[in-house]
Amino acid sequence: MPIPEDVTGDELDKDVKQELQSLPKTLAEDVARNLVMVARTIDEDPEQAYAYSRIALRLASRVAAVREAAGFAAYANQKYSEALAEFRAARRMTGSVELWPVMADCERGLGRPERALAMAGELEVQKLDKAGQVEMRLVAAGARRDMDQLDAAIVTLQSSELASSSVQPWTARLRYAYADALLAAGREDEAREWFAKAVEADRDGSTDASDRLAELDGIEFVDVAETESDETDEDIEVDGAVEVVEAGEDVVASDAEGDRAGADVSADADVDVADEADAEARRD
């Protein structure tokens, strides 16, 4: 896989670079550059990110950061079984619980929401930081919805973090999930209120809360470029019709003039015949 020359590997976090120091220098640089490319492409081109992660994994499978990156790349491509295996490997290497929520979400992806719920009740959740606990709550609510337990999903999302007026990195997603669950349960007015709150917190546009809110308000967005194109096509069609009509009028006019000319010629011919007959009669 080609890597731009400006990618050096120094772009990685300090902790990751420290992990790579266990490798020979040249190998560490190659791995680092591939990890940078995973981070750069995972949102826009998950398949390419996955390809870079496989290279890094082949070069340094015993580095936890590499296993974690491979896990996220597989997760982005919905390869949940593979992602779960990589996350488990990274967790064994580090002993950290920070991957617990995404591991639970992999269980959901594999069609095992009950396992995700079981993980939400494990002691590991208590060791997570606030962001991790909110993420676990989101996964648990998603698992409840997978099992058609809408009311339970709504209750799961009700928390001090949801009620707080302060905006944190997770606030928009939490409010959005709550609004979506309310809407699925048929509680449209409440859903609209929480979609509006999600919009207020979504400063970087990480959700489509504004579109969902507009949809509930009955606002329909029109593609201006497409509309202008349609109008242009209509104008062309109208102009074409006018030209055809004008051309038809010209043809009709031409035919009429031809008919009149033919009639004049016929009349002149009749006069000539009559005059010639009179002349013959006088000679006789």
Side-chain angles (χ1 to χ4, degrees), residues 134 137-142 145 149-164 170-199 207 209 212 216:
V134 170
R137 190 177 293 277
L138 288 168
V139 173
R145 292 191 62 174
Q149 299 175 0
L150 280 175
D151 290 339
I154 291 171
V155 172
T156 298
L157 292 168
Q158 292 172 345
S159 59
S160 58
E161 293 83 13
L162 179 67
S164 176
W170 59 79
T171 303
R173 292 179 59 240
L174 185 58
R175 292 178 179 178
Y176 182 95
Y178 188 59
D180 193 49
L182 289 169
L183 187 62
R187 296 160 61 174
E188 188 171 313
D189 291 342
E190 293 173 85
R192 191 204 172 282
E193 176 187 351
W194 281 97
F195 274 127
K197 290 182 178 180
V199 171
T207 72
R212 300 292 300 276
L216 286 174

Side-chain angles (χ1 to χ4, degrees), residues 23 27 30 41 49 68 89 92 139 211 223 270 284:
L23 303 173
L27 180 59
D30 289 341
T41 60
E68 183 176 329
R92 284 194 301 269
V139 173
D211 292 339
D223 190 329
D270 291 341
D284 293 340

Side-chain angles (χ1 to χ4, degrees), residues 74 78-88 106 109-110 112:
Q78 300 182 1
K79 299 178 184 291
Y80 298 116
S81 181
E82 185 177 325
L84 185 56
E86 297 300 341
F87 290 142
R88 283 173 174 167
C106 284
L110 291 169
R112 301 190 295 240

